[in-house]
Amino acid sequence: MLILGIESTCDETAASVVEDGLAVRSNIVSSQVDLHAKYRGVVPEIASRAHIENILPVVSQALEVAGTRLEEIDAIAVAHRPGLIGSLLIGVTAAKTLAWARGKPLIGVDHVHAHLYSVRLDVAPTIPMPAVGLVCSGGHTALYHLKDFLNVELVGSTLDDAVGEAYDKVAAILNLGYPGGPILDSLAKDGNPRAIHFPRSKLDRDSLDFSFSGLKTSLLYHVKGFQGKQRATTPMNERELQDIAASFQAACIDVLVEKIKRAARKFNAKSIVIGGGVSANRGLRAAMQSFFLPTFFPPMAYCTDNAAMIAGLGYELLKSGRTSPLDLDAITHSQFVDATH
Ligand code: KG4
Ligand code: ZN
């Protein structure tokens, strides 16, 4: 079965054709990073306009690279939540129009849910269940209890910044560019993670929630020389930047790993799945190598936003009969948000 996936939740316009939920036949991502870089973050209005320009060429290219035509596609899956409303609307409208015009089933997919599914793409590992899932990206940092890929429950989430957002803000503080994750990740590789002690927000002992705003503020104070070192007046050298990046990264990873461990124990997990942009992080991947449970990361191409994960999860939803009506809505929040989060 061939599913066409469409993704436009934030600042990437993406389309992909995936066979039987696993084999990625095409994965086209048109990134808007250059448009947003000078603002050091995503500008919603600019994002929507760029999606309008990109959506049809990206879909055509995904079909072409996959060597198929719209008539041969079995269903159309679209990320319809969560995200920026103006961005979501472009992908959802395109998907609904194609589904209606060609009489294909439409499948609304939760983008965060699809980040968890991304670990299965191309490699199709056998993942022991139940599992604990972590989605760590620019918009989300949350823990899930998975009985299987369609049976997912939110068990903890960030109370303020997402971890990827903290990376982006820290990179902005250090004037390093956008997005900050990959830049800080490479700097951290050559730095000393014990050079500066940044706080680890563990919250209370049993909590599965996260908080990264204190860490970001502590780093800001460090950089501005609030500890009496007057660093603000002297530009930092490469070594100092590497040490800050490594120390910041160590604080993020310590918290992520600790919370994964707590959740794994609580739910007697047999494995861990980690998705979202920050799952590309080398430090996090290295730290999880010595974890007491097998850990599954997506192939690098499917860590950040993409439509292959939308098509992949779309296939599973289709198989279980969960198609969507043609009046499918774009929704800004995830289906997993509950009263406590
Ligand atoms: O999943 P994604 O593309 O978009 C959201 O759904 O938010 O994630 C983008 C985020 C950005 O904040 C970016 O800085 C972060 O993922 N990121 C990384 C790395 N690569 C991307 N963070 C840490 N280390 C990386 N190597
Ligand atoms: Zn994402």
Side-chain angles (χ1 to χ4, degrees):
M1 255 196 182
L2 291 181
I3 310 292
L4 169 67
I6 296 180
E7 153 68 38
S8 71
T9 58
C10 187
D11 61 338
E12 259 101 27
T13 322
S16 164
V17 175
V18 175
E19 193 172 343
D20 295 339
L22 294 171
V24 180
R25 299 250 302 242
S26 63
N27 179 37
I28 310 299
V29 181
S30 166
S31 172
Q32 304 175 9
V33 158
D34 296 343
L35 292 178
H36 301 285
K38 67 176 170 193
Y39 305 103
R40 298 174 174 185
V42 177
V43 182
E45 183 60 28
I46 293 176
S48 324
R49 284 167 189 268
H51 283 307
I52 292 175
E53 284 170 19
N54 295 337
I55 191 82
L56 292 179
V58 163
V59 168
S60 303
Q61 206 186 337
L63 292 168
E64 195 184 315
V65 171
T68 189
R69 290 171 305 126
L70 200 51
E71 296 81 70
E72 289 163 353
I73 294 291
D74 292 288
I76 298 171
V78 62
H80 76 119
R81 68 193 305 176
L84 301 168
I85 192 66
S87 292
L88 286 163
L89 279 169
I90 313 303
V92 170
T93 306
K96 289 201 294 199
T97 308
L98 293 175
W100 175 75
R102 300 291 172 155
K104 308 281 180 191
L106 176 71
I107 309 148
V109 174
D110 186 295
H111 172 97
V112 180
H113 191 183
H115 269 308
L116 291 172
Y117 185 87
S118 64
V119 299
R120 299 195 68 208
L121 294 170
D122 281 346
V123 277
T126 303
I127 299 172
M129 292 286 173
V132 157
L134 170 72
V135 175
C136 44
S137 69
H140 307 275
T141 302
L143 279 170
Y144 301 86
H145 173 208
L146 286 76
K147 291 196 182 125
D148 57 57
F149 275 102
L150 290 187
N151 203 330
V152 174
E153 178 199 9
L154 177 74
V155 296
S157 63
T158 183
L159 304 175
D160 39 58
D161 290 350
V163 62
E165 187 183 356
Y167 268 90
D168 295 338
K169 287 179 177 170
V170 163
I173 292 169
L174 297 170
N175 273 319
L176 293 173
Y178 172 84
I183 304 168
L184 288 166
D185 192 8
S186 344
L187 277 170
K189 181 168 58 70
D190 302 312
N192 174 7
R194 281 176 292 278
I196 306 143
H197 184 80
F198 290 125
R200 274 79 171 148
S201 273
K202 294 275 180 2
L203 309 171
D204 55 79
R205 254 193 49 218
D206 300 324
S207 168
L208 296 178
D209 290 330
F210 302 88
S211 165
F212 291 101
S213 69
L215 166 60
K216 178 194 62 192
T217 309
S218 162
L219 187 141
L220 177 68
Y221 284 169
H222 178 83
V223 172
K224 296 268 182 222
F226 272 71
Q227 292 153 330
K229 293 181 186 151
Q230 292 184 341
R231 286 173 184 271
T233 49
T234 32
M236 264 178 235
N237 63 37
E238 185 75 1
R239 180 83 229 162
E240 282 173 315
L241 281 173
Q242 288 166 345
D243 284 350
I244 290 180
S247 302
F248 164 74
Q249 182 148 299
C252 292
I253 292 171
D254 276 0
V255 173
L256 294 174
V257 174
E258 167 66 21
K259 299 289 169 134
I260 293 171
K261 200 187 294 168
R262 283 183 196 180
R265 294 209 171 109
K266 182 166 177 185
F267 298 106
N268 286 319
K270 297 205 176 77
S271 68
I272 309 296
V273 298
I274 303 184
V278 183
S279 69
N281 188 269
R282 274 177 277 192
L284 180 61
R285 286 180 176 239
M288 290 307 289
Q289 264 172 13
S290 52
F291 200 71
F292 70 100
L293 291 172
T295 303
F296 299 88
F297 285 95
M300 280 297 188
Y302 313 126
C303 290
T304 47
D305 288 351
N306 65 85
M309 64 184 192
I310 308 300
L313 180 57
Y315 170 77
E316 292 295 326
L317 291 165
L318 179 70
K319 263 200 327 185
S320 72
R322 290 189 232 180
T323 53
S324 307
L326 279 175
D327 64 353
L328 178 74
D329 274 336
I331 302 173
T332 53
H333 58 273
S334 171
Q335 63 178 308
F336 298 111
V337 178
D338 65 18
T340 51
H341 293 96

Coordinates of all heavy atoms in Angstrom, one line a residue, residues 6-46:
I6 N 1.7 14.3 4.1 CA 1.9 15.7 3.9 C 2.1 16.3 5.3 O 1.4 16.0 6.3 CB 0.7 16.4 3.2 CG1 0.6 15.8 1.8 CG2 0.8 17.9 3.2 CD1 -0.6 16.4 1.0
E7 N 3.2 17.2 5.4 CA 3.5 17.8 6.7 C 3.8 19.3 6.5 O 4.6 19.7 5.6 CB 4.8 17.1 7.2 CG 5.7 17.9 8.1 CD 5.1 18.2 9.5 OE1 4.4 17.3 10.0 OE2 5.3 19.3 10.0
S8 N 3.1 20.1 7.3 CA 3.3 21.6 7.2 C 3.0 22.2 8.6 O 2.4 23.3 8.6 CB 2.4 22.2 6.1 OG 1.1 22.2 6.6
T9 N 3.3 21.5 9.7 CA 2.9 22.0 11.0 C 3.6 23.3 11.5 O 3.1 24.1 12.2 CB 3.0 20.9 12.1 OG1 4.4 20.5 12.1 CG2 2.2 19.7 11.8
C10 N 4.9 23.4 11.0 CA 5.7 24.5 11.5 C 6.4 25.2 10.4 O 5.8 25.9 9.6 CB 6.7 24.0 12.6 SG 7.6 25.3 13.4
D11 N 7.7 25.0 10.2 CA 8.4 25.7 9.1 C 9.1 24.8 8.1 O 10.0 25.2 7.4 CB 9.5 26.6 9.8 CG 10.6 25.8 10.5 OD1 10.3 24.7 11.0 OD2 11.7 26.3 10.7
E12 N 8.6 23.5 8.0 CA 9.1 22.7 6.9 C 7.8 22.2 6.1 O 6.9 21.8 6.7 CB 9.7 21.4 7.5 CG 11.2 21.5 7.5 CD 11.8 21.8 8.8 OE1 11.2 21.5 9.8 OE2 12.9 22.4 8.8
T13 N 7.9 22.4 4.8 CA 6.9 21.9 3.9 C 7.4 20.6 3.4 O 8.5 20.5 2.8 CB 6.6 22.8 2.7 OG1 6.8 24.2 3.1 CG2 5.3 22.5 2.1
A14 N 6.7 19.5 3.7 CA 7.2 18.2 3.4 C 6.2 17.2 2.8 O 5.0 17.3 3.2 CB 7.9 17.5 4.6
A15 N 6.6 16.4 1.9 CA 5.7 15.3 1.4 C 6.6 14.1 1.2 O 7.8 14.1 0.9 CB 5.1 15.8 0.1
S16 N 5.9 12.9 1.3 CA 6.6 11.7 1.2 C 5.7 10.6 0.8 O 4.5 10.6 1.1 CB 7.2 11.4 2.6 OG 7.6 10.0 2.7
V17 N 6.2 9.6 0.1 CA 5.5 8.4 -0.3 C 6.1 7.2 0.5 O 7.3 7.0 0.4 CB 5.5 8.1 -1.8 CG1 4.7 6.8 -2.1 CG2 4.8 9.3 -2.5
V18 N 5.3 6.5 1.3 CA 5.8 5.4 2.1 C 5.0 4.1 1.7 O 3.8 4.2 1.6 CB 5.8 5.7 3.6 CG1 6.2 4.5 4.4 CG2 6.7 6.9 3.9
E19 N 5.7 3.0 1.6 CA 5.1 1.8 1.2 C 4.9 0.9 2.5 O 5.8 0.7 3.2 CB 6.0 1.0 0.2 CG 5.3 -0.1 -0.5 CD 6.2 -0.7 -1.6 OE1 7.2 0.0 -2.0 OE2 5.9 -1.9 -1.9
D20 N 3.7 0.5 2.7 CA 3.3 -0.4 3.8 C 3.8 0.1 5.2 O 4.2 -0.6 6.0 CB 3.9 -1.8 3.6 CG 3.2 -2.5 2.4 OD1 2.1 -2.0 2.0 OD2 3.7 -3.4 1.8
G21 N 3.9 1.4 5.3 CA 4.2 2.0 6.6 C 5.7 2.0 7.0 O 6.0 2.5 8.0
L22 N 6.5 1.4 6.1 CA 7.9 1.3 6.5 C 8.9 1.7 5.5 O 9.9 2.4 5.8 CB 8.2 -0.2 6.9 CG 7.4 -0.7 8.1 CD1 7.6 -2.2 8.2 CD2 7.9 0.0 9.4
A23 N 8.7 1.3 4.2 CA 9.7 1.6 3.2 C 9.5 3.0 2.6 O 8.5 3.3 1.9 CB 9.7 0.6 2.1
V24 N 10.4 3.9 2.9 CA 10.3 5.3 2.4 C 10.7 5.4 0.9 O 11.9 5.2 0.6 CB 11.1 6.2 3.3 CG1 10.9 7.7 2.8 CG2 10.7 6.1 4.8
R25 N 9.7 5.7 0.0 CA 10.0 5.7 -1.4 C 10.5 7.1 -1.8 O 11.2 7.3 -2.8 CB 8.8 5.3 -2.2 CG 8.4 3.8 -1.9 CD 8.7 2.9 -3.1 NE 8.0 3.4 -4.3 CZ 7.1 2.7 -4.9 NH1 6.7 1.5 -4.5 NH2 6.5 3.1 -6.0
S26 N 10.0 8.1 -1.0 CA 10.5 9.5 -1.3 C 10.3 10.3 0.0 O 9.4 10.0 0.8 CB 9.8 10.2 -2.4 OG 8.4 10.3 -2.1
N27 N 11.2 11.3 0.2 CA 11.1 12.1 1.5 C 11.6 13.5 1.1 O 12.8 13.8 1.2 CB 12.0 11.4 2.6 CG 12.0 12.2 3.8 OD1 11.0 12.8 4.2 ND2 13.1 12.3 4.5
I28 N 10.7 14.3 0.7 CA 11.0 15.7 0.3 C 10.7 16.7 1.4 O 9.6 16.7 1.9 CB 10.2 16.1 -1.0 CG1 10.3 15.0 -2.1 CG2 10.6 17.4 -1.5 CD1 11.7 14.7 -2.6
V29 N 11.7 17.4 1.8 CA 11.5 18.4 2.8 C 12.0 19.8 2.3 O 13.2 19.9 1.9 CB 12.3 18.1 4.1 CG1 12.1 19.1 5.2 CG2 11.9 16.7 4.6
S30 N 11.1 20.8 2.2 CA 11.6 22.1 1.8 C 11.6 22.9 3.1 O 10.6 23.3 3.7 CB 10.5 22.7 0.9 OG 10.8 24.1 0.7
S31 N 12.9 23.2 3.5 CA 13.1 23.9 4.8 C 13.0 25.4 4.6 O 13.5 25.9 3.6 CB 14.4 23.5 5.4 OG 14.7 24.3 6.5
Q32 N 12.5 26.1 5.6 CA 12.4 27.5 5.5 C 13.4 28.2 6.5 O 13.3 29.3 6.8 CB 11.0 28.0 6.0 CG 9.8 27.4 5.2 CD 8.5 27.8 5.8 OE1 8.4 28.7 6.6 NE2 7.4 27.2 5.3
V33 N 14.4 27.4 6.9 CA 15.4 27.8 7.9 C 16.0 29.2 7.5 O 16.0 30.1 8.3 CB 16.5 26.8 8.1 CG1 17.7 27.4 8.7 CG2 16.0 25.7 9.1
D34 N 16.3 29.3 6.2 CA 17.0 30.6 5.8 C 16.0 31.8 5.9 O 16.5 32.9 6.2 CB 17.4 30.5 4.3 CG 18.5 29.4 4.2 OD1 19.1 29.1 5.2 OD2 18.7 29.0 3.1
L35 N 14.7 31.6 5.7 CA 13.8 32.7 5.8 C 13.6 33.2 7.3 O 13.4 34.3 7.5 CB 12.4 32.2 5.4 CG 12.2 31.9 3.9 CD1 10.7 31.5 3.6 CD2 12.4 33.2 3.1
H36 N 13.7 32.2 8.2 CA 13.5 32.6 9.6 C 14.8 32.9 10.4 O 14.7 33.4 11.5 CB 12.8 31.4 10.3 CG 11.4 31.1 9.7 ND1 10.3 31.9 9.9 CD2 11.1 30.1 8.9 CE1 9.3 31.3 9.2 NE2 9.7 30.3 8.6
A37 N 15.9 32.5 9.8 CA 17.2 32.6 10.6 C 17.4 34.0 11.1 O 17.8 34.2 12.3 CB 18.4 32.2 9.7
K38 N 17.2 35.0 10.3 CA 17.5 36.4 10.8 C 16.6 36.8 12.0 O 16.9 37.8 12.7 CB 17.5 37.4 9.7 CG 16.2 37.7 9.1 CD 16.3 38.8 8.0 CE 15.0 38.9 7.2 NZ 15.0 39.7 6.0
Y39 N 15.5 36.2 12.2 CA 14.6 36.5 13.3 C 14.9 35.6 14.5 O 14.2 35.6 15.5 CB 13.1 36.3 12.9 CG 12.7 37.2 11.7 CD1 12.6 36.6 10.4 CD2 12.6 38.5 11.8 CE1 12.3 37.4 9.3 CE2 12.3 39.3 10.7 CZ 12.1 38.7 9.4 OH 11.9 39.5 8.3
R40 N 15.8 34.6 14.3 CA 16.2 33.7 15.4 C 15.1 32.8 15.8 O 15.1 32.3 17.0 CB 16.8 34.4 16.6 CG 18.1 35.2 16.2 CD 18.4 35.9 17.5 NE 19.7 36.6 17.4 CZ 20.2 37.3 18.4 NH1 19.6 37.2 19.6 NH2 21.3 37.9 18.3
G41 N 14.1 32.6 15.0 CA 13.0 31.7 15.4 C 11.9 31.8 14.2 O 12.1 32.6 13.3
V42 N 10.9 31.0 14.3 CA 9.9 30.9 13.3 C 8.9 32.0 13.4 O 8.3 32.3 14.4 CB 9.2 29.5 13.3 CG1 8.1 29.5 12.3 CG2 10.2 28.4 13.2
V43 N 8.7 32.7 12.3 CA 7.7 33.8 12.2 C 6.5 33.2 11.5 O 6.5 32.9 10.3 CB 8.2 35.0 11.4 CG1 7.2 36.1 11.4 CG2 9.5 35.5 11.9
P44 N 5.4 33.0 12.3 CA 4.2 32.3 11.7 C 3.7 32.8 10.4 O 3.4 32.0 9.5 CB 3.2 32.5 12.8 CG 4.0 32.7 14.1 CD 5.2 33.4 13.7
E45 N 3.6 34.1 10.2 CA 3.1 34.6 9.0 C 4.0 34.3 7.8 O 3.5 33.9 6.7 CB 2.9 36.1 9.1 CG 2.3 36.9 8.0 CD 0.9 36.4 7.6 OE1 0.2 35.9 8.5 OE2 0.5 36.5 6.4
I46 N 5.3 34.4 8.0 CA 6.2 34.1 6.9 C 6.1 32.6 6.6 O 6.1 32.1 5.4 CB 7.7 34.4 7.3 CG1 7.8 36.0 7.5 CG2 8.7 33.9 6.4 CD1 9.1 36.5 7.9

